[in-house]
């Protein structure tokens, strides 16, 4: 089921937009839940993991662009669709990698085309995970939430959105489980998620949350090839 948020500080407008989205998705025979929020702060406090977020740009307190920047800090891969009665903020929307920019009042045909494209993207983004065991418990780790793995002997430290999680595993098994999933072993002690790379040099990789991870000299050229190929595919 598709999970959608609509954020607009005009209550009636927020309801109208949510109704239009629901009508289009019903015509497309796609089940969904739609939550409505009347401020950016209210949206940011929500615990739900939304697939698509519709954001009005001109809002009191936090505007749509500021809200989007904070959303990106929490959940990089969410689909953001901006709504505005003005074209003036189109380039600002690109800065936070908006999926689309829709003008109010919403055109039904345009809304349907954008929703069709967004649904296709969410289907492609079905979240990959690995299963790890700690004690008698098995835990599901979503790969897009993980910045990097740190290897300390047979102890694996998982660094991600929820902090650090440790478990016991052989590095060979971990590498096999991550093969073809966008991770690269840049150092004997680190497996990084290429999705979260912000910048790099010959000594280290800087990830999007500010973490710095060492790069082994002999792996630097291969890392450059891997990150460029990853970016090309993206």
């Amino acid at each position: 089921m598709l999970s959608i948020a609509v954020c607009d500080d005009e209550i009636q407008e927020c309801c109208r937009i949510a109704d239009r989205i629901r009508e289009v998705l019903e015509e497309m025979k796609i089940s969904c839940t739609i939550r409505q929020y009347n401020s950016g702060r209210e949206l940011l406090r929500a615990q739900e993991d939304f697939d698509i977020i519709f954001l009005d740009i001109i809002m009191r307190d936090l505007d749509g662009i500021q809200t989007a920047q904070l959303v990106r800090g929490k959940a990089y891969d969410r689909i953001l669709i901006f709504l505005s009665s003005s074209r003036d903020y189109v380039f600002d929307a690109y800065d936070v990698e908006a999926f689309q920019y829709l003008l109010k009042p919403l055109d039904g045909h345009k809304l349907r085309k954008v929703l069709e494209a967004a649904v296709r993207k969410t289907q492609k983004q079905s979240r990959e995970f690995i299963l790890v065991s700690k004690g008698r418990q098995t835990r599901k780790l979503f790969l897009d939430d993980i910045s990097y793995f740190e290897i300390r002997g047979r102890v694996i430290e998982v660094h991600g959105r929820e902090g650090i999680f440790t478990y016991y595993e052989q590095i060979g098994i971990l590498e096999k489980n991550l093969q073809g999933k966008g991770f690269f072993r840049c150092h004997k002690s680190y497996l990084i998620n290429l999705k979260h790379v912000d910048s790099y040099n010959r000594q280290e990789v800087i990830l999007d949350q500010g973490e710095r991870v060492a790069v082994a000299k002999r792996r630097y050229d291969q890392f450059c090839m891997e990150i460029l190929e990853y970016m090309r595919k993206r």
Side-chain angles (χ1 to χ4, degrees):
M1 179 179 287
L2 210 58
S3 179
I4 297 174
V6 178
C7 184
D8 193 309
D9 63 350
E10 298 293 336
I11 296 174
Q12 290 184 337
E13 180 69 1
C14 191
C15 291
R16 278 195 294 269
I17 293 166
D19 288 343
R20 295 287 299 280
I21 294 167
R22 187 177 288 106
E23 288 169 8
V24 172
L25 290 174
E26 284 176 356
E27 290 173 5
M28 294 167 60
K29 296 185 173 14
I30 294 173
S31 58
C32 67
T33 58
I34 301 178
R35 309 288 185 213
Q36 298 176 40
Y37 302 94
N38 300 125
S39 74
R41 296 194 187 281
E42 190 180 339
L43 171 65
L44 291 165
R45 286 196 296 266
Q47 297 299 310
E48 195 161 344
D49 199 11
F50 297 107
D51 299 302
I52 304 171
I53 300 174
F54 285 81
L55 267 174
D56 184 33
I57 289 186
I58 304 172
M59 294 192 293
R60 295 178 291 274
D61 193 11
L62 277 182
D63 65 29
I65 300 297
Q66 292 169 322
T67 302
Q69 290 168 344
L70 294 170
V71 167
R72 281 284 180 247
K74 293 172 59 179
Y76 183 80
D77 59 345
R78 298 302 169 261
I79 295 176
L80 299 179
I81 299 173
F82 282 111
L83 308 167
S84 180
S85 55
S86 169
R87 299 178 184 272
D88 294 345
Y89 306 94
V90 170
F91 293 108
D92 294 321
Y94 283 129
D95 289 342
V96 288
E97 299 188 44
F99 182 74
Q100 189 56 264
Y101 190 104
L102 293 175
L103 289 173
K104 296 179 179 180
L106 293 181
D107 174 84
H109 179 67
K110 180 68 173 176
L111 176 62
R112 183 182 179 100
K113 285 185 67 174
V114 169
L115 279 171
E116 286 174 346
V119 169
R120 286 195 297 271
K121 184 172 182 179
T122 61
Q123 290 169 344
K124 288 178 182 177
Q125 284 182 183
S126 55
R127 301 183 75 197
E128 291 190 275
F129 62 88
I130 57 172
L131 295 173
V132 302
S133 298
K134 185 174 184 178
R136 297 183 179 181
Q137 291 186 329
T138 299
R139 180 167 176 171
K140 181 188 289 187
L141 299 179
F142 287 103
L143 299 185
D144 57 359
D145 291 341
I146 298 169
S147 298
Y148 66 98
F149 294 88
E150 185 171 358
I151 300 97
R152 299 173 179 270
R154 285 200 59 185
V155 176
I156 306 291
E157 286 189 359
V158 185
H159 296 253
R161 187 186 301 171
E162 298 181 1
I164 300 174
F165 172 74
T166 61
Y167 70 103
Y168 291 95
E169 184 65 274
Q170 295 178 19
I171 182 58
I173 293 174
L174 176 61
E175 280 194 281
K176 183 178 179 182
N177 289 338
L178 294 174
Q179 192 169 2
K181 299 184 187 297
F183 283 77
F184 180 75
R185 194 172 181 186
C186 61
H187 185 278
K188 68 178 182 180
S189 299
Y190 299 106
L191 268 160
I192 59 171
N193 188 342
L194 297 175
K195 171 183 176 178
H196 292 290
V197 172
D198 184 66
S199 60
Y200 59 91
N201 55 48
R202 287 187 171 274
Q203 285 75 45
E204 63 183 4
V205 175
I206 298 92
L207 302 174
D208 52 15
Q209 295 299 314
E211 305 102 322
R212 294 174 179 266
V213 176
V215 178
K217 282 185 180 180
R218 64 186 182 86
R219 301 188 191 210
Y220 178 72
D221 289 342
Q222 183 63 32
F223 166 73
C224 290
M225 292 172 60
E226 292 283 341
I227 190 65
L228 290 174
E229 177 65 12
Y230 178 82
M231 291 169 64
R232 185 187 67 80
K233 288 180 178 178
R234 293 280 288 184

